[in-house]
Amino acid sequence: MLKIDRRTLLFGGAAIVGVTTLMSKPGDRSGPRDPYFLDVQKALADANIASPTLVIDRARLNTNIDTLVGHLPDGMGYRIVAKSLPSLSLIAHIRARAGTDRLMTFNQPMLSALSEAMPEASQLLGKPLPVQAARNYFDGLSEADSAAADNVQWLIDSGDRLQQYSDLAAGLDRTLRINLELDVGLHRGGFEPGADLQSALEAIRTDTNLKFAGFMGYEPHIPALPTTLGWRDKALKGAWNIYQKSLAQAADVFGGDSVRNLTRNAAGSPTYRYYEDTEIANEISAGSCLVKPTHFDSELLEPHLPASFIATPVIKSLPTTRMPGLEFADGAKRAWDPNYNKTVFIYGGHWLADPVDPPGLEYNSTFGRSSNQEMLNGGPDLDIKADEFVFFRPHQSEAVFLQFGDIAVYEDGKIVDTWPVFEASA
Ligand SMILES: Cc1ncc(COP(=O)(O)O)c(C=O)c1O
């Protein structure tokens, strides 16, 4: 839906005429298209694709999988973050190439779908689910898939939730595997070493329907902290200290040997490279870095390649940019900002994504966003015709990948496969 707001237009007009004079003149960012994207564009056209499409470059994906596996120290397990790679075919491909049976799952629909498709895989919940969602999972579980539930580790963040899951396990008359969420500094909930953790560990030990499976401690805040005065290092040491103390408490309750073989999960894409041995964590989870949306353009993830793009046809390619009701200011705006010269209206839009090819394309905040035909502006060298493709990099893969239907798999100049995505779920 396109919503042109009157106030936005008025302020936009005022800004065009007046405020721009206070800013430094923008340089022209338009230029020739990247041959890489021209090749993908040809592949899409050859495959008769003519609507907004999520493209994964399989060669780049494979490079990213190998990069991740290559970074892992001896004995470190890899858990695939399903919500960031939300397609059974994509997950199956990564499982095979990375040689892992571990998945991290974040909602009941995906948990159910994965239990059905990959019953042998281990699934660790990445967030604690309301007990009713767990009950719904068991209600929907077929007799044939029942064993898959034994491979699920339910994430528990509080004593109250542990009690609810204990009641569920008793009602189902089955053993539930419990993983305790640790607050290692993110402060998104979970246990810290101390009395509450002790009670939870004791409660699991004495409950015949519960089995202690391990800990999960996630610390994505750490790379966001400044390095000044050792701030970041201190936060990382603090996180590991919390983890170590929690392991010591678990060893007191369950015995040292049993703790060594627990699931000791940590990390995510931004932090997996911090783990250079298995002293604290014995597995890391990561997903996004394998397709590398823009939010994962960080120093640590520099060796990972952008491997996912939104491609969408141009509906209209116009030689000048004209603003409704503000035509009087178009000339001044064009003279001021060369990147405002030309306009394309694309098929769809308003995604969590940035245009990357042709170069220099920008959203027009005065015209507004549109999910139907979004306006993009470009400079004098913008060279794209109707039906050719504009490429975007998504900000994130989670949720965004679910918006386009089947993923188009690109390799060696061709669309070689299509990978269905999970049904939309939150
Ligand atoms: C608990 C947990 N672990 C790991 C991840 C990492 O996922 P990704 O690698 O896709 O950032 C997330 C992401 O939200 C998470 O919540």
Side-chain angles (χ1 to χ4, degrees), residues 81 83-85 104 106 125-127 155 181 186 188 216-220 265-270 285-290 296 397-398:
V81 175
K83 74 171 165 61
S84 310
L85 303 157
M104 182 174 267
F106 289 78
L125 269 299
K127 67 170 172 267
L155 191 68
E181 179 174 16
L186 179 60
R188 189 171 74 173
M216 189 282 282
Y218 182 47
E219 41 9 19
N265 179 274
S269 292
S285 22
S288 303
C289 62
L290 300 186
F296 296 83
S397 52
E398 175 180 1

Side-chain angles (χ1 to χ4, degrees), residues 215 243-252 259 262 264 279-280:
F215 289 120
Y243 217 124
Q244 195 127 44
K245 284 189 176 152
S246 308
L247 285 169
Q249 263 190 271
D252 280 349
V259 167
L262 291 174
R264 290 179 274 126
E279 203 184 315
I280 307 278

Side-chain angles (χ1 to χ4, degrees), residues 87-264:
S87 152
L88 283 176
S89 312
L90 173 57
I91 292 171
H93 177 84
I94 296 164
R95 270 184 78 187
R97 191 159 179 112
T100 181
D101 273 339
R102 303 178 207 198
L103 310 174
M104 182 174 267
T105 318
F106 289 78
N107 66 28
Q108 182 261 310
M110 286 191 199
L111 184 67
S112 299
L114 285 162
S115 283
E116 197 181 314
M118 302 178 180
E120 70 293 351
S122 151
Q123 293 200 65
L124 166 60
L125 269 299
K127 67 170 172 267
L129 296 187
V131 73
Q132 185 59 48
R135 197 170 282 121
N136 295 345
Y137 165 78
F138 283 104
D139 286 350
L141 195 68
S142 70
E143 196 59 39
D145 298 328
S146 180
D150 297 334
N151 295 327
V152 176
Q153 297 185 29
W154 300 94
L155 191 68
I156 298 293
D157 58 321
S158 69
D160 287 349
R161 201 184 304 278
L162 184 61
Q163 184 57 53
Q164 293 175 329
Y165 275 71
S166 164
D167 296 343
L168 174 67
L172 293 168
D173 193 22
R174 19 186 343 153
T175 303
L176 297 188
R177 303 178 72 205
I178 301 297
N179 188 302
L180 296 181
E181 179 174 16
L182 295 177
D183 181 357
V184 294
L186 179 60
H187 306 322
R188 189 171 74 173
F191 293 93
E192 290 182 61
D196 287 352
L197 177 60
Q198 191 72 21
S199 310
L201 292 165
E202 297 284 1
I204 297 170
R205 188 177 61 81
T206 53
D207 192 321
T208 49
N209 293 310
L210 300 182
K211 188 168 169 19
F212 185 48
F215 289 120
M216 189 282 282
Y218 182 47
E219 41 9 19
H221 59 290
I222 293 177
L225 294 172
T227 50
T228 330
L229 301 171
W231 200 344
R232 195 183 294 174
D233 286 348
K234 257 186 252 162
L236 186 57
K237 282 206 186 87
W240 288 349
N241 193 26
I242 290 168
Y243 217 124
Q244 195 127 44
K245 284 189 176 152
S246 308
L247 285 169
Q249 263 190 271
D252 280 349
V253 175
F254 293 100
D257 280 354
S258 54
V259 167
R260 283 233 63 73
N261 299 323
L262 291 174
T263 297
R264 290 179 274 126

